Amino acid sequence: MIRVKIKSWTASFRYPTFQSGYQPTLPVPPLSTIQGILSAARGEVVSFTEIPFVGYVFKSGGRGVDLERIYALGKTETDVIKREVLFDNTLYLYLPDEWENYFRRPRYQLLLGRSSDMATVESVEKVKLEEKTNVPVGGTIVPATSGLPGLVHALPVEFDYSTIPRRARMARPFTVLPFPRNNAQRKRQTYGGKLLYDSEINIGVWIYEGLHGKV
């Protein structure tokens, strides 16, 4: 498999229970954001049905609150809202080898959230992850049935872009696991089953296989 390292100054991932007003961000991207990144890299809409497996780990250096002016279609007045933003971000994607060329020469701009959250590919390399038990998991989402403790949200897996506006093709309950920042958090987020382990960034990688319809 390959590991793609993507960097951005800012990122913002829509919090599903907030529709207007203050806009917090999820601490990690949902799978639908990963679908968007894959689609931008290849230059056409990608469905997870086409990908044998995918995994990801996301880290941020911190968060803050920005003011954002909103222009609504058909309205002359504007609104100013507070939006939470993640800073100094790194996303590691774990993909089959055939995705290497797409990320060495992405067709469209990669984004970690909104159109202003532009990202760049820092490296693409082949990796071989070791399978281990009792490893910490974080910087990702895992199925709510995993038994790992954390906030559970109903999150979109992928979108149908054949309609305007786009619609969620499928949503499932996931446990949101921030990247662990201390030993207590690593212990709390330790998964007892078998999991691939990335020793370079010291974290377990939750791999989704045969994703569509089975999460």
Side-chain angles (χ1 to χ4, degrees):
M1 72 170 66
I2 60 167
R3 181 181 60 202
V4 183
K5 184 179 182 182
I6 296 172
K7 297 281 292 183
S8 79
W9 287 352
T10 62
S12 179
F13 308 116
R14 183 175 172 275
Y15 212 95
T17 54
F18 284 74
Q19 298 295 332
S20 61
Y22 177 65
Q23 294 290 307
T25 176
L26 290 171
V28 301
L31 279 163
S32 56
T33 297
I34 305 302
Q35 181 202 12
I37 293 170
L38 297 177
S39 299
R42 201 170 76 173
E44 60 184 351
V45 176
V46 172
S47 170
F48 286 120
T49 57
E50 309 169 45
I51 307 173
F53 65 86
V54 62
Y56 65 94
V57 173
F58 176 85
K59 301 168 65 176
S60 69
R63 63 177 65 199
V65 176
D66 197 8
L67 295 177
E68 185 175 87
R69 174 168 288 178
I70 301 295
Y71 293 88
L73 288 173
K75 293 183 178 179
T76 56
E77 68 270 20
T78 62
D79 292 324
V80 176
I81 65 167
K82 292 183 177 180
R83 181 182 294 278
E84 197 174 33
V85 180
L86 301 169
F87 295 102
D88 188 19
N89 307 292
T90 306
L91 173 67
Y92 297 93
L93 289 176
Y94 301 85
L95 293 162
D97 293 351
E98 54 264 31
W99 279 84
E100 179 174 354
N101 287 337
Y102 296 129
F103 280 97
R104 291 203 180 277
R105 290 177 292 277
R107 178 72 181 274
Y108 298 119
Q109 178 64 56
L110 307 182
L111 303 172
L112 287 182
R114 303 160 301 155
S115 58
S116 57
D117 299 319
M118 293 185 289
T120 56
V121 176
E122 188 166 292
S123 65
V124 181
E125 55 189 333
K126 289 187 176 0
V127 293
K128 189 172 183 178
L129 305 185
E130 180 185 1
E131 191 174 67
K132 299 179 71 174
T133 57
N134 296 316
V135 294
V137 191
T140 191
I141 61 173
V142 298
T145 53
S146 67
L148 287 164
L151 288 175
V152 175
H153 287 288
L155 298 173
V157 174
E158 64 178 40
F159 281 103
D160 178 1
Y161 288 92
S162 65
T163 63
I164 300 176
R166 66 181 185 178
R167 293 180 178 176
R169 179 171 286 156
M170 178 172 61
R172 292 288 186 272
F174 292 97
T175 302
V176 178
L177 298 175
F179 193 90
R181 298 183 182 277
N182 53 54
N183 288 335
Q185 196 173 5
R186 292 180 67 83
K187 185 176 181 180
R188 186 167 61 249
Q189 293 181 190
T190 293
Y191 181 67
K194 290 183 179 179
L195 211 60
L196 293 179
Y197 182 73
D198 190 332
S199 58
E200 289 189 38
I201 56 176
N202 198 19
I203 197 74
V205 181
W206 194 279
I207 296 290
Y208 289 97
E209 297 178 274
L211 188 62
H212 191 76
K214 296 183 179 179
V215 177

